[in-house]
Amino acid sequence: VVTCSEALYADMGHFGARPIRWTWFVMVLPALLLNYFGQGALVLAQPSAVSNPFYLLAPSWALLPMVVLSTAAACIASQAVISGAFSLTRQAVQLGFCPRLEIIHTSASEIGQIYVPAVNWALMLAVMGLVLGFRTSSSLAAAYGIAVASTMVITAMLAGLVAKDLWRWSTWAGLLVFGSFVLIDGAFLAANAMKFLEGGWFPLLLAGAVFALMTTWGRGRTVLQERLTEGALPLESFLESLAMSRVVRVPGTAVFMTGSPHGTPPALLHNFKHNKVVHERVVLLTVQTADEPHVSDAERVTVTPLESGFFRVQARFGFMETPGVPALMRQLAQHDLVLKEMDTSYFLGRETLLPTNRQGMPLWRKALFGWMSKNARPATSYFKLPPNRVVELGTQVIL
């Protein structure tokens, strides 16, 4: 029952709530009731069938078809969980808790239909490791029980937060409804916790590793932005010096992508320092991820005209959306900022991270963040930038 519910919920982001409700009430719930009522009736009539009531429900000649049915059900459930892992990974990337990964869209009409090769390979290796390590399904039962029970407890607690913060439930109503869920699921988890040494340690170890990676990436991004901000020149000062100097203004538009909507992007300073030129029009672009799945087109872009042909552009995407900068640039025409694609160059900063004992994070986490940053998907492909229009300027950052 739990596996089936997990699989259905994992598909929620792909097909929506209505198909899930119809599938549950019309097909899955009646089938489960018949299945478990039948097993209960069999055990009441034949107590010896308690050893394996599911397969003993059918006559001996139907054993092989039952095995095929169970295998097919496991494949369907695993596919749903795999799809859910893809969706969660993309949301983690958008929210800044995971490095940029290659995300392949497999449908032209459904935005949730995606494939993440790195996650797929990681799941395959993990499953192979589980099979070789535990060898039998009975040995794996302890690990599965703790994983499912802890997931149910966490889900109930998060649902309570959603009810309070988004649905505006009162605190007492939330505690009454979801507190009862936590009480039941907590008892289930406590019972499974007795099997910690029998394999229950594995999902906790795996969850701890994933948590460490996610928090390291999130904290590392914050520390990196702090280091870049410390040495950043205020944009007002840069524009003042630009107006007073006789710098060469070359034709075309330069788009400088920056993670902060404040200050002068390091790539702009490096380009000015080494090439001694500034484009006629300069767009300072910041792409931010909102705490909502989708952002309407009306709220997508904010354009702020500045002095000397400079524009500050802030773009917002939902955590279930994939940011595409060229398409975003075409939307700027609605804000009286028309850019010609062949006259536009994109400037990116590529940071080389140098871990030190400076405050912010432990040294080992800085080294881990540097490794993750080095192996992240390039911003050029992630933001769908035309490769022949991209200029990367490197800089060293002491963490």
Side-chain angles (χ1 to χ4, degrees):
V1 172
V2 170
T3 303
C4 180
S5 301
E6 285 181 334
L8 283 174
Y9 182 78
D11 277 334
M12 187 79 74
H14 298 271
F15 302 105
R18 182 175 296 178
I20 301 302
R21 293 190 182 108
W22 276 101
T23 303
W24 175 258
F25 288 109
V26 174
M27 181 178 178
V28 179
L29 179 60
L32 285 173
L33 287 176
L34 289 174
N35 181 20
Y36 285 107
F37 283 169
Q39 292 186 45
L42 176 65
V43 171
L44 289 174
Q46 302 178 19
S48 60
V50 72
S51 59
N52 205 331
F54 176 76
Y55 288 107
L56 292 176
L57 272 176
S60 58
W61 59 266
L63 177 60
L64 184 58
M66 292 284 280
V67 173
V68 173
L69 177 64
S70 300
T71 304
C75 290
I76 293 171
S78 64
Q79 181 57 49
V81 173
I82 291 170
S83 300
F86 292 162
S87 297
L88 289 174
T89 300
R90 182 178 67 171
Q91 295 173 25
V93 171
Q94 292 290 76
L95 292 171
F97 290 102
C98 179
R100 294 184 299 267
L101 299 174
E102 180 183 8
I103 299 175
I104 300 173
H105 290 264
T106 58
S107 173
S109 57
E110 295 291 337
I111 191 173
Q113 299 276 347
I114 60 174
Y115 170 67
V116 185
V119 175
N120 196 56
W121 281 99
L123 290 174
M124 184 198 73
L125 295 175
V127 169
M128 293 176 62
L130 281 173
V131 172
L132 294 176
F134 287 91
R135 297 184 179 276
T136 64
S137 58
S138 58
S139 299
L140 190 60
Y144 180 76
I146 287 185
V148 170
S150 58
T151 299
M152 293 168 67
V153 171
I154 294 171
T155 302
M157 295 172 66
L158 292 177
L161 292 176
V162 170
K164 183 178 184 298
D165 295 337
L166 297 182
W167 301 342
R168 303 301 179 185
W169 284 24
S170 67
T171 302
W172 289 109
L175 288 175
L176 180 62
V177 175
F178 296 100
S180 60
F181 291 161
V182 172
L183 186 63
I184 297 172
D185 296 337
F188 187 29
L189 176 61
N192 280 273
M194 302 296 294
K195 299 181 180 181
F196 175 81
L197 297 178
E198 300 176 19
W201 56 268
F202 178 79
L204 299 179
L205 177 64
L206 183 61
V210 173
F211 181 79
L213 290 173
M214 294 178 66
T215 53
T216 296
W217 182 256
R219 177 57 184 164
R221 279 167 48 91
T222 301
V223 173
L224 175 60
Q225 192 59 48
E226 290 175 353
R227 300 293 185 264
L228 293 175
T229 303
E230 289 174 1
L233 176 69
L235 184 60
E236 294 77 10
S237 301
F238 179 79
L239 293 178
E240 289 177 4
S241 64
L242 189 65
M244 296 172 58
S245 62
R246 296 182 179 180
V247 64
V248 178
R249 304 297 294 265
V250 296
T253 302
V255 178
F256 290 89
M257 300 194 64
T258 173
S260 173
H262 308 286
T264 306
L268 173 57
L269 293 176
H270 278 70
N271 182 59
F272 178 69
K273 176 181 178 181
H274 295 287
N275 296 325
K276 312 298 183 183
V277 296
V278 176
H279 285 70
E280 288 179 339
R281 285 194 301 182
V282 177
V283 176
L284 309 180
L285 174 62
T286 302
V287 178
Q288 298 175 324
T289 301
D291 292 332
E292 50 190 300
H294 302 280
V295 174
S296 64
D297 291 337
E299 300 176 344
R300 177 80 65 197
V301 180
T302 301
V303 178
T304 305
L306 305 173
E307 302 173 6
S308 304
F310 277 66
F311 298 85
R312 175 80 74 180
V313 176
Q314 292 182 251
R316 299 174 69 248
F317 288 88
F319 59 76
M320 292 189 67
E321 297 177 308
T322 301
V325 171
L328 181 68
M329 292 295 101
R330 291 190 288 269
Q331 295 182 20
L332 297 182
Q334 304 173 6
H335 300 267
D336 299 326
L337 182 57
V338 180
L339 305 182
K340 295 181 180 180
E341 184 174 348
M342 297 308 298
D343 289 336
T344 301
S345 299
Y346 298 91
F347 289 81
L348 303 178
R350 177 178 287 273
E351 297 86 9
T352 300
L353 308 181
L354 304 177
T356 65
N357 289 321
R358 190 177 177 183
Q359 290 183 349
M361 279 197 310
L363 185 60
W364 69 269
R365 294 190 72 182
K366 291 181 180 179
L368 177 60
F369 174 70
W371 176 82
M372 296 171 71
S373 179
K374 183 178 180 180
N375 290 276
R377 183 185 178 188
T380 303
S381 58
Y382 180 75
F383 290 107
K384 302 179 181 179
L385 301 176
N388 59 340
R389 308 299 305 175
V390 174
V391 179
E392 291 191 358
L393 299 171
T395 182
Q396 290 187 338
V397 180
I398 298 177
L399 292 180

